Amino acid sequence: MTARARQEDIVRSLRRSGATTVDALAAEVGASRRTVLRDLCALRDEGYVIHSDVGRGGGLRLDPQSMQTTARLSVPEVFALLISVASMRAAGHLPFSALADSGLARIERALPSDKMRDLRRFLDCLHVGKLSPLQDLSDMGPMDPALLPAFETAFLERRLIRFDYRDAKGIATRRLVEPQAMLILPPLWYLVAWDPTRGDFRHFRMDRIGGPEAIEGTRFNRRRVPFEDDVCPYRELAR
């Protein structure tokens, strides 16, 4: 379990129990007493008000009005939110898209400079367009939750990505490609990649990708991805 996931479990436990002890929290999250004490300090630094009562009947209590005051979202999480907002704006008729965009801007402003740099690199690879009304969506399915983290690692570190792919005819293949961009044609998302074996760009529907893996020890160069005239970078859509 990561430190972040453990701290989220601690907050949930404190909210549910009302009062507890460090030892009880340690047993619940499967960590040492020292680790839980360190997590409690980190949570307090983020704005959570956690009271420590001594004596019989004492323990730890989370102020019911307490909330974190610093952003803890990772770059992939912010990127996922950006994708969602981009999809809403591209659709053009969904309510509250402007409010979502405003809220997302506040989150972006709270990111530290290193995360903001990674986010800008993500934005450079994000393009949005409109789906053809003739597109068949009858076989549209959920995306593999491992895809976005694998794409993050592969894209930012310029590694090749390997995955299983099922095409429109149901034919399954194993692919090894350079992840160059993402294309959103609501409600479909595509991984746009350079395929070294074919010497050309390929579009992979992301709901047809399975078992993604960023390959260590590989490296690729950024390429200019050709898009149609009706596809624009996310930055232009957000103006």
Side-chain angles (χ1 to χ4, degrees):
M1 179 184 293
T2 65
R4 181 179 176 189
R6 187 176 59 248
Q7 290 164 14
E8 289 173 348
D9 284 349
I10 288 173
V11 171
R12 282 194 292 268
S13 180
L14 288 169
R15 290 198 187 281
R16 288 195 305 264
S17 63
T20 186
T21 65
V22 173
D23 290 337
L25 283 174
E28 183 172 345
V29 301
S32 69
R33 179 184 176 87
R34 173 180 286 186
T35 296
V36 169
L37 287 171
R38 188 165 57 242
D39 288 338
L40 290 170
C41 287
L43 289 169
R44 286 180 172 123
D45 288 343
E46 289 168 6
Y48 287 103
V49 180
I50 302 173
H51 301 288
S52 299
D53 299 327
V54 298
R56 180 181 292 275
L60 299 170
R61 291 185 299 105
L62 178 68
D63 189 312
Q65 303 301 317
S66 178
M67 61 182 295
Q68 68 185 65
T69 57
T70 58
R72 299 183 67 213
L73 293 177
S74 66
V75 170
E77 288 172 329
V78 177
F79 187 57
L81 289 172
L82 278 166
I83 293 172
S84 300
V85 172
S87 300
M88 293 173 69
R89 296 185 68 160
H93 57 78
L94 295 178
F96 311 122
S97 60
L99 283 175
D101 208 15
S102 174
L104 186 56
R106 293 188 180 187
I107 293 174
E108 288 182 58
R109 287 196 295 271
L111 288 174
S113 58
D114 58 331
K115 288 189 176 183
M116 196 64 218
R117 183 176 60 250
D118 286 344
L119 182 61
R120 290 194 187 103
R121 291 166 65 188
F122 266 141
L123 290 178
D124 289 338
C125 81
L126 181 60
H127 290 71
V128 182
K130 293 186 180 298
L131 188 68
S132 167
L134 302 179
Q135 175 71 47
D136 181 12
L137 299 176
S138 61
D139 65 340
M140 182 178 170
M143 281 194 289
D144 187 332
L147 181 54
L148 189 57
F151 176 82
E152 174 215 4
T153 300
F155 181 79
L156 291 180
E157 299 180 11
R158 287 193 283 172
R159 297 188 200 174
L160 272 68
I161 189 169
R162 179 186 292 135
F163 51 83
D164 297 315
Y165 191 69
R166 173 184 51 82
D167 66 16
K169 297 180 180 178
I171 298 174
T173 55
R174 187 73 168 160
R175 313 302 286 267
L176 181 64
V177 299
E178 303 171 359
Q180 296 287 345
M182 291 179 66
L183 173 63
I184 301 176
L185 303 177
L188 296 179
W189 299 6
Y190 291 85
L191 168 62
V192 183
W194 176 263
D195 189 332
T197 62
R198 292 164 174 78
D200 200 0
F201 285 99
R202 291 290 186 270
H203 290 54
F204 300 96
R205 244 178 65 175
M206 295 177 74
D207 60 314
R208 293 175 175 167
I209 292 175
E213 176 189 6
I215 307 302
E216 291 188 14
T218 59
R219 187 79 171 175
F220 67 86
N221 295 321
R222 302 278 185 227
R223 300 174 187 266
R224 181 184 177 279
V225 184
F227 285 110
E228 301 295 334
D229 292 339
D230 58 348
V231 172
C232 70
Y234 173 80
R235 291 185 186 278
E236 291 186 13
L237 183 71
R239 286 176 185 171

